[in-house]
Amino acid sequence: MSEPDCLITFEHVRCTYRIKQGLLRFKPYHALKDVSFCVREGETLGIIGRNGAGKTTILKLMSGILRPDAGRVSRRPGLVVSLLSLQVGFDPELSGRENILLGGLYLGISKKNIQNRMDDIIAFSELESFIDNPIKTYSSGMRSRLGFSIGMELAPDVLLIDEVLGVGDWRFQQKASKALHHKIGNGRTVVLVSHNLEQIESICNRVVWVEHGITQAVGDTTDIITSYKNCLQAVS
Amino acid sequence: MSPSSFQLPNLLYHTVRARLANELRLYYLHFVWWFAEPLLDMAIYYVVFAILLKQGTENYVPFLLIGIVFWAWFNRSLQNGSLSILHAKDLMAQMNLPKAFFPIATVCQDFVKQVFVMVVLLVFLVLYGMPVSLSWLCLPVLMAIQFVFIIGLAVFLSAIVPFFPDLKFIITAGLQLMFFVSGVFFDIDSTVLPVHRGIVYLNPMAGLIRNYRQILMQGVWPDWPYLLGAFLSAALVLLLSMLLVRHFGHIYPKIVI
């Protein structure tokens, strides 16, 4: 499994949430049971699977937010991984500008670097007239635009994208998609979670198919999407 | 992917600054409340204890105000700090941060407010006619000890609250009990029986409040051996709490309440 150009490797990863049930009782929920694959340098990897398959949990393990309960997630040392999720907004009480600064610092980017990129981030998000308002006053589309712009402009080594391409209106979607293609063209490593199979087919080199927390298949995009579609049709 | 330990102080500074600025922006009367709250508390205790119960001693107003100001700092920091990891749920789902960051940021936020209240307290004491003496110079030392004690307890409580959120009610009750035995509105040395005094002073807040009064009202140097003991136990609590929160750190993002 450990190929030389792997940035992030999953080996038989299990990840369990603890759902609070009573005063001292927690019910385990096994989001991932046995997941193995690797993310290669410069590729665009798609992750597909039905709702509750464990896709978002995989992204959280990649970014180091969660640790596996069994198995191993290994990352190349010094790798900057950022997670773009729809709920981005670090502190809803603070303004968009403050959230950009804190978001960048949380990612480990220097203050100077963030301030240099600040205007570009704001311009990309098209939130100029709202940027000094607290983000709790933003619509969900505006928040996602801000989150997407932070992740895009602050340029991590690996970009993790969780269903974020449905962000904003049609025009912003086109722009986001173009920016993403640009990153991919520049050899940036991207991991994309999406239910939009056409999108996955158009940008991903490889696909990981996960079902009930277990990897079903890893490999060429077209082959795997075909068998995934067959499987969905068989179920319905 | 996550801030290096080198960047954490920077992150802490910006988080605290942004939150305080935001607090002031949202409630423009907030700044006034930072001072008005202890003054209101003092008025209540003065009416109850000095007038109705006739418990007032000489200089009861500064006596009471010193007790309330330092108690309120302790109380507020622990109420806010103990819930900080629980409340950081959304941020923890997006970012990989050392979890002790959350209680420490909350405690620092309350500390900045305390500095403003302190300035007003000192001005009040001067206007009230309390003699300004060299022993006032010990104030930062006493506050540093209380600060370490607060951080240690806040980190400890915030580390266990996510597992048992019901604990917040017990924390409130525990703080209330501690308030009554810390000598905020009475003098422990003249009220509590000598056999019980040793036990009462095991609570560092009781000893700290007595020392604050000693240096600010009587111009007497603090009880150094007691303060050393209080500092060492506070530092020990802090060390153990940091180990605890590090041990549990990776579990918090997996808890679903």
Side-chain angles (χ1 to χ4, degrees), chain B residues 41-96:
Chain B
D41 281 348
M42 192 201 69
I44 295 166
Y45 295 119
Y46 187 77
V47 169
V48 175
F49 292 102
I51 300 175
L52 299 179
L53 295 176
K54 293 208 180 84
Q55 293 290 313
T57 48
E58 196 194 348
N59 285 334
Y60 193 59
V61 172
F63 177 90
L64 205 53
L65 196 57
I66 292 173
I68 288 168
V69 160
F70 291 101
W71 172 261
W73 173 29
F74 179 78
N75 186 47
R76 189 178 50 223
S77 303
L78 287 189
Q79 294 269 10
N80 295 336
S82 60
L83 300 178
S84 56
I85 291 184
L86 186 71
H87 286 169
K89 214 168 56 216
D90 293 339
L91 189 54
M92 281 192 299
Q94 296 174 58
M95 291 290 163
N96 180 22

Side-chain angles (χ1 to χ4, degrees), chain A residues 16-20 23-24 26 60 63-67 69 75 88 90 93-94 105-106 108-109 111, chain B residues 1-3 7 11 14-15 18 22 26 91-97 163-166 250 253-256:
Chain A
T16 308
Y17 289 100
R18 292 156 179 80
I19 300 169
K20 194 169 160 58
L23 184 60
L24 291 169
F26 289 90
K60 286 185 178 171
S63 63
I65 292 166
L66 296 180
R67 266 200 240 165
D69 290 279
R75 246 163 296 169
V88 166
F90 307 109
E93 299 289 338
L94 302 182
L105 290 172
Y106 287 138
I109 295 160
K111 188 184 166 194
Chain B
M1 174 194 63
S2 62
Q7 276 172 315
L11 184 55
H14 285 286
T15 306
N22 180 60
L26 276 182
L91 189 54
M92 281 192 299
Q94 296 174 58
M95 291 290 163
N96 180 22
L97 274 179
F163 296 105
F164 323 110
D166 303 337
H250 66 285
K254 289 183 184 164
I255 297 178
V256 184

Side-chain angles (χ1 to χ4, degrees), chain B residues 121-135:
Chain B
L121 175 72
L122 294 181
V123 170
F124 174 86
L125 291 178
V126 173
L127 294 179
Y128 196 83
M130 290 284 114
V132 179
S133 84
L134 270 180
S135 62

